[in-house]
Amino acid sequence: MAGDRFEDVQKAIDREWMFRSLREMILIRSENPFDDAPAEGYRETEMAGYLAGQLSTLGLEVETREVRPGRPNVFGRLKGKQGRSALMLAGHMDTARTTGYPEAYDVKETNGRMYGRGACDMKAALAAYLGVVRALRDTGMRLNGDLIVCGIVDEEYQMLGSKAIGQAGRMADQGIIGEPTHLNVCPANKGRVSTKIITRGRAAHSSVPEKGINAIDQMAKVIRAFGDYNRELLGRTPHPLCGHGRFTPGVIHGGVQVNMVPDVCELEVDRRTLPGESRESVYAEFHERIRRAAEGDPDFVYEITAPTWLIAPNDISPEEPVVTALRAAHQRIFGKDPGVEAFVAGSDAPYMGFPTVICGPGGIAQAHTTCEFVDLQEVADAARLYLHAVLQLLG
Ligand SMILES: [Zn+2]
């Protein structure tokens, strides 16, 4: 049974090789270029080359697919004997920016931790995937189903990589993405809709404000319109894992000069969404609230722009085999079922085109900070968990 084979293969996981691979990947600066062209320091393509090279050396069939020029997704396939099902171990290859983080690529290993940009978010999981594949190769273990290891571009911005994967058709039956959860099993997470609400008025000299329409005054109506929004959201039926949606006005701009009646004011707002909510449902709520608050004002003019951020929520059944397999792996390796919880951030998971769970080494508290690290024991434990799940699902 899976159990005995697991014992044999897990002994073959080469920790030092895995940690060396992690160090090598952190040293490849693959910051997300955001709106810039790929260039020095934005080397997703070199990360993809590194991953493709490792997977190919380990005997996988490797394919890269450019999502944008210089920004390829990578797929390595370990063909199973029967090919009846496929599991994908996926992770993004880009990292957050390193502004204000001079030691970002000064990779250090102390007290059992590895430090550097991308350590936990999420090159650690990529290293653990490599460790799994290498242990399978070194023990000559053949799987029945296909195991696909996938490196994804552009998670930190528009998720172009995972969107391309989902649009290409169903590549696998189930997936794991090793975003940092301290190895907790997360089948759901909230999404996000951010947008700008703009009020428009008419400029006038401030000595005769009655000749103008003050866009800041108009925005005050919008702000009041959302005054009890969070209370209302908290009063709705919670999602079992994600809880409640939330609303935050985050940035406001209006006016040019203090002696002018401002003709435009912009408020950027952030709405965390639950599974079941969409861009359309959120916009409908916004319009409804604003219209109610502005009722009876013929001069009230506003618009809501296209989303400035749009991240889908993820919500797969806790009964999905990939979820129960990771819980069983915890039970076997740590003697405890961790249950399921929500991931706190957005991820590629909802775009993949098949049920995908989040579970990976490191903590979201260290991601995107100027002191990013991962506990190396967690990286080794992640490899064992993934291996156990691979054997259970594809064995
Ligand atoms: Zn991440």
Side-chain angles (χ1 to χ4, degrees), residues 92 121-122 155-156 179:
H92 63 84
D121 188 15
M122 54 169 288
E155 192 276 339
E156 298 290 355
E179 291 276 8

Side-chain angles (χ1 to χ4, degrees), residues 6 8-16 18 128 131-132 134-135 380 383-385 387:
F6 171 68
D8 293 341
V9 187
Q10 77 141 337
K11 282 190 222 130
I13 294 175
D14 187 337
R15 294 169 53 113
E16 292 313 314
M18 223 165 35
V132 169
R134 188 176 151 119
R384 292 198 293 160
L385 284 176
L387 174 65

Side-chain angles (χ1 to χ4, degrees), residues 85-108:
S85 58
L87 173 70
M88 186 184 281
L89 302 177
H92 63 84
M93 303 181 292
D94 60 324
T95 72
R97 288 188 192 278
T98 53
T99 315
Y101 186 10
E103 301 91 32
Y105 300 107
D106 198 4
V107 184
K108 265 194 327 236

Side-chain angles (χ1 to χ4, degrees), residues 1 41 86 108 125 149 153 155 157 191 206 210 270 283 287 296 305 354-355 366 387:
M1 232 328 272
K108 265 194 327 236
V149 176
V153 295
E155 192 276 339
Y157 188 29
S206 61
E210 62 281 7
D270 179 280
Y283 273 53
H287 282 300
T305 67
F354 43 84
Q366 278 77 48
L387 174 65

